């Protein structure tokens, strides 16, 4: 199986350690991974802003870069959701359908495809609060949704539970939106900031030292809210913990 690794533009610009950890983790697990050097944005920001036609060039380039791979893996639930479910600014050719049907977010790839049972190199002696983005939770279904009253499950927690030394804090409203929502955080700044501040305080009050997530976009928003509100909590991408980061 040949994997094409997509690193979202905001991770490349602001959180490169999450991208590096994703590559190193997949290689530690014995995977054959390539990083196409001409990759850019997947087109999600334009589509989410209602400018779907403007996403066409980015989507076409994405397909050009990744159509040759068996699977495409990315450390981002929102980008995965866009490619899989909203990638329709371009004609739906066989190549486009192949890309859409074989794109995976990192957690679901590790949990559902590779079925990883052990991370022997990983140890994280901290209490963490898990944040599931709305995209991973309600579109990719990597965890149960409280509003459905369904039996509990959590793919990211299953993976994190295999890391030595880790413990979990449980906030009162664990799957409530953090208020980021892409351009929502710009067009509805006050509401977004209040939601983000409430979110980080909920985790901090539950005893979390870190908030861990599969989406750095949500963490970027929450980190800004925490810094402005003076909430002493740190942030880390799940790939970094599974790859062996200790802090």
């Amino acid at each position: 199986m040949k994997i094409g690794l997509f690193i979202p533009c905001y991770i490349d610009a602001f959180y490169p350690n999450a991208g590096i950890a994703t590559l190193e983790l997949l290689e530690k697990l014995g995977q054959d991974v390539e990083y196409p050097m001409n990759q850019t944005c997947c087109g999600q920001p334009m589509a989410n802003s209602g400018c779907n036609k403007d996403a066409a060039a980015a989507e076409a380039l994405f397909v050009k870069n990744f159509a040759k791979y068996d699977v495409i893996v990315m450390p981002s639930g929102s980008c995965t959701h866009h490619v899989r479910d909203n990638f329709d600014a371009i004609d739906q050719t066989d190549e486009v359908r192949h890309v859409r049907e074989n794109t995976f977010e990192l957690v679901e790839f590790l949990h559902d495809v590779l079925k990883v049972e052990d991370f022997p190199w990983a140890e994280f002696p901290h209490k963490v609060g898990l944040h599931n983005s709305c995209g991973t939770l309600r579109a990719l279904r990597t965890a149960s949704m409280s509003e459905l009253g369904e039996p509990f499950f959590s793919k990211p927690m299953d993976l994190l539970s295999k890391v030595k030394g880790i413990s979990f804090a449980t906030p009162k409203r664990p799957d409530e939106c953090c208020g980021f929502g892409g351009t929502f955080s710009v067009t509805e700044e006050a509401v977004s900031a209040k939601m983000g501040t409430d979110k980080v305080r909920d985790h901090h009050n539950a005893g979390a030292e870190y908030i861990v997530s599969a989406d750095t976009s949500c963490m970027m928003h929450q980190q800004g809210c925490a810094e402005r509100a003076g909430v002493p909590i740190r942030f880390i991408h799940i790939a970094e913990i599974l790859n062996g980061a200790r802090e």
Side-chain angles (χ1 to χ4, degrees), residues 10-98:
Y10 60 89
I11 290 182
D12 183 51
F14 299 114
Y15 297 95
N17 286 343
I20 293 168
T22 301
L23 173 61
E24 291 179 346
L25 176 60
L26 289 170
E27 290 180 337
K28 283 178 181 177
L29 293 168
Q31 300 305 299
D32 185 7
V33 187
E34 284 187 359
Y35 175 83
M37 297 301 292
N38 292 329
Q39 62 179 274
T40 57
C41 177
C42 67
Q44 180 196 174
M46 290 76 81
N48 285 0
S49 299
C51 305
N52 199 49
K53 291 182 179 179
D54 294 332
E59 292 181 5
L61 180 60
F62 188 96
V63 173
K64 180 180 179 181
N65 283 323
F66 289 99
K68 67 179 180 180
Y69 296 104
D70 298 312
V71 296
I72 301 97
V73 176
M74 55 185 74
S76 166
S78 59
C79 292
T80 302
H81 174 41
H82 174 67
V83 173
R84 190 182 296 171
D85 300 322
N86 300 313
F87 211 66
D88 53 14
I90 54 179
D91 292 337
Q92 300 298 293
T93 65
D94 289 343
E95 285 189 334
V96 172
R97 284 191 290 271
H98 168 76

Side-chain angles (χ1 to χ4, degrees), residues 150-213:
E150 59 189 347
F152 176 82
F153 71 92
S154 174
K155 296 176 185 180
M157 191 166 286
D158 284 349
L159 296 177
L160 288 168
S161 296
K162 304 178 192 304
V163 174
K164 293 188 292 290
I166 199 167
S167 58
F168 298 96
T170 304
K172 291 181 178 179
R173 302 174 71 88
D175 59 1
E176 186 173 76
C177 177
C178 71
F180 174 59
T183 53
F184 176 81
S185 63
V186 178
T187 59
E188 298 288 349
E189 176 187 359
V191 177
S192 174
K194 180 64 166 62
M195 293 173 70
T197 302
D198 286 349
K199 188 73 173 180
V200 297
R201 283 180 172 155
D202 193 13
H203 278 280
H204 179 256
N205 291 340
E209 302 169 63
Y210 285 81
I211 293 177
V212 57
S213 180

Side-chain angles (χ1 to χ4, degrees), residues 232-246:
I233 198 165
R234 301 173 71 179
F235 297 84
I236 190 167
H237 192 278
I238 190 171
E240 297 176 84
I241 294 178
L242 299 179
N243 188 48
R246 300 296 172 92

